[in-house]
Amino acid sequence: VDAVLGHICSGATKAALPIYKSSGIVVVSPSATNPGLTQSGDYPNFFRTIASDDAQARTEVDFAVDVLGLKKIVVIHDKGDYGKGLATLVKEGLEKRGINIVLFEGVTPGAVDYSALVRKIKAANPEVVAFGGYHPEGSKIVTQSRKKDITAHFISGDGLKDPSFIKIGGEYAEGYFVSSPSDISNIPATVEVTAALKAKGQKPGNFGLQAHAGIMTVFHAIEKSESTKAEDIAKVLRADSVSTTLGNISFDAKGDVLGSGFAIYKVINGEFVESKSGNTFVTIDPSTEKDFAEICAAEEVEVNLAVKAASNAFKGEWSKILPYQRGQYLRSIGDQLKEKAELLGTIETKDT
């Protein structure tokens, strides 16, 4: 074996790396994001085509604070290398921003009943629940939370950006935010690979395009170095930029990818939809049937003004409306919303 593509999870990767190192084998992971895998400097033979969890944590923190504008947050995790690592980074990032962490809790993976955790979340009454872990636990936690009328926003890392999360979570997965690698669907190599798979009745799996990029960089390194020795492959990987399904990428001295980052996605109508800008996913409540921005667009209302107008107009009344009726309610009062938003805009213009 000259090179390995993998592993998927940070825990499995961490366990296997000493073996690959002693065997002189280069490893490229498409999805192992624990920062220590590269930043410790212990594994000079390890590379990854996904940004590490510290970048992912910053994405989540900035979104929760700067876009959602929320300051009362619960952080939970699955006690694993990936989940706890990401949750800890999110917690530290939030604390640096002066955010109140009302609960930091670990859960047991594989459990069926998370009612004890749900009770703690409900008692804490957060505006946001940030979860570090994978989709089996994430889908159960959000489902059980919604059934207990917890209306906080939920946000997680790429461990939940999996079709199985939506399939298992169903209606309760709607409105969930996840951080994951940015959309790469328009990159030429991605278009070509996706079309080839479609012709076979297939499509790229989760992290499949990151894996393809990893293969392309390894093949390039072997061809250029004319060698299969780990040190020769690693030297080219660190030196060259390669055109891949992620765009033009290279690796820094520690093995982290350069040229690929994270974005925020939201589950809308059973699909993960990427936020192209912070305003796209501003919502009054996470349980609305349709994204608030979509409603504003239909009513020709500027999103930022509409958020302020709605917050003022429906304060006190909003909580009386059942969660699954809120989207319908917003649409039904479109004219009122538009009028208040325009008035707010006029006032702001005069003030400036």
Side-chain angles (χ1 to χ4, degrees):
V1 176
D2 298 315
V4 169
L5 183 70
H7 295 250
I8 296 297
C9 303
S10 294
T13 303
K14 185 177 181 180
L17 278 178
I19 299 172
Y20 296 134
K21 182 180 179 181
S22 64
S23 302
I25 297 173
V26 164
V27 182
V28 181
S29 171
S31 54
T33 52
N34 184 277
L37 297 174
T38 53
Q39 294 172 19
S40 67
D42 294 336
Y43 306 107
N45 59 317
F46 177 70
F47 300 82
R48 54 182 160 206
T49 54
I50 187 170
S52 66
D53 282 336
D54 47 0
Q56 184 164 203
R58 285 195 300 272
T59 301
E60 291 186 33
V61 168
D62 290 346
F63 183 77
V65 178
D66 298 331
V67 179
L68 296 180
L70 306 177
K71 299 181 179 181
K72 190 178 181 183
I73 300 180
V74 161
V75 181
I76 53 180
H77 60 84
D78 65 357
K79 302 179 183 178
D81 288 323
Y82 163 72
K84 185 177 181 180
L86 177 58
T88 299
L89 289 168
V90 169
K91 176 177 177 289
E92 292 171 350
L94 289 167
E95 288 173 339
K96 288 179 181 178
R97 299 289 299 272
I99 302 303
N100 181 24
I101 308 299
V102 293
L103 178 68
F104 184 71
E105 186 92 359
V107 301
T108 301
V112 175
D113 183 11
Y114 288 106
S115 58
L117 172 68
V118 171
R119 284 194 295 271
K120 290 182 180 180
I121 295 174
K122 192 171 181 67
N125 191 30
E127 297 172 298
V128 177
V129 176
F131 172 61
Y134 295 100
H135 67 84
E137 290 71 39
S139 58
K140 293 174 187 175
I141 292 169
V142 71
T143 296
Q144 293 173 31
S145 295
R146 294 298 189 222
K147 287 182 177 180
K148 292 297 182 182
D149 298 322
I150 294 173
T151 59
H153 292 280
F154 276 73
I155 185 168
S156 294
D158 54 342
L160 266 74
K161 192 175 180 290
D162 188 291
S164 296
F165 170 70
I166 295 175
K167 183 178 180 180
I168 297 169
E171 63 180 304
Y172 302 109
E174 284 292 311
Y176 207 113
F177 295 106
V178 298
S179 56
S180 193
S182 302
D183 179 39
I184 52 176
S185 59
N186 293 322
I187 292 174
T190 296
V191 173
E192 182 181 346
V193 170
T194 302
L197 288 172
K198 185 177 181 180
K200 299 179 180 179
Q202 302 173 12
K203 60 181 181 180
N206 201 26
F207 304 115
L209 294 170
Q210 284 76 21
H212 191 281
I215 293 173
M216 294 174 79
T217 59
V218 170
F219 282 177
H220 169 81
I222 291 173
E223 290 175 359
K224 182 168 183 178
S225 67
E226 297 181 342
S227 171
T228 55
K229 293 182 179 180
E231 58 268 28
D232 295 333
I233 296 173
K235 184 177 180 180
V236 176
L237 289 176
R238 291 189 175 91
D240 285 10
S241 176
V242 181
S243 178
T244 73
T245 47
L246 303 181
N248 292 324
I249 64 169
S250 58
F251 300 93
D252 66 16
K254 294 181 178 180
D256 278 317
V257 67
L258 299 173
S260 179
F262 285 100
I264 293 292
Y265 295 76
K266 183 181 181 181
V267 179
I268 300 176
N269 297 326
E271 299 285 343
F272 289 107
V273 180
E274 182 181 356
S275 171
K276 298 300 182 183
S277 67
N279 290 337
T280 303
F281 290 148
V282 174
T283 57
I284 293 294
D285 186 280
S287 301
T288 49
E289 287 176 331
K290 288 211 172 186
D291 185 78
F292 188 45
E294 182 180 338
I295 298 162
C296 290
E299 301 298 336
E300 298 182 347
V301 179
E302 203 278 321
V303 175
N304 283 338
L305 296 180
V307 169
K308 294 176 184 177
S311 297
N312 292 330
F314 312 132
K315 195 173 293 181
E317 185 179 3
W318 187 253
S319 62
K320 300 175 185 177
I321 306 169
L322 293 175
Y324 299 107
Q325 295 177 338
R326 289 173 181 169
Q328 182 179 356
Y329 179 76
L330 277 176
R331 289 190 295 277
S332 71
I333 46 81
D335 289 339
Q336 178 187 349
L337 183 64
K338 183 176 181 180
E339 180 181 342
K340 289 182 179 294
E342 289 175 344
L343 177 61
L344 244 160
T346 303
I347 294 171
E348 288 191 346
T349 301
K350 289 180 179 179
D351 287 343
T352 56

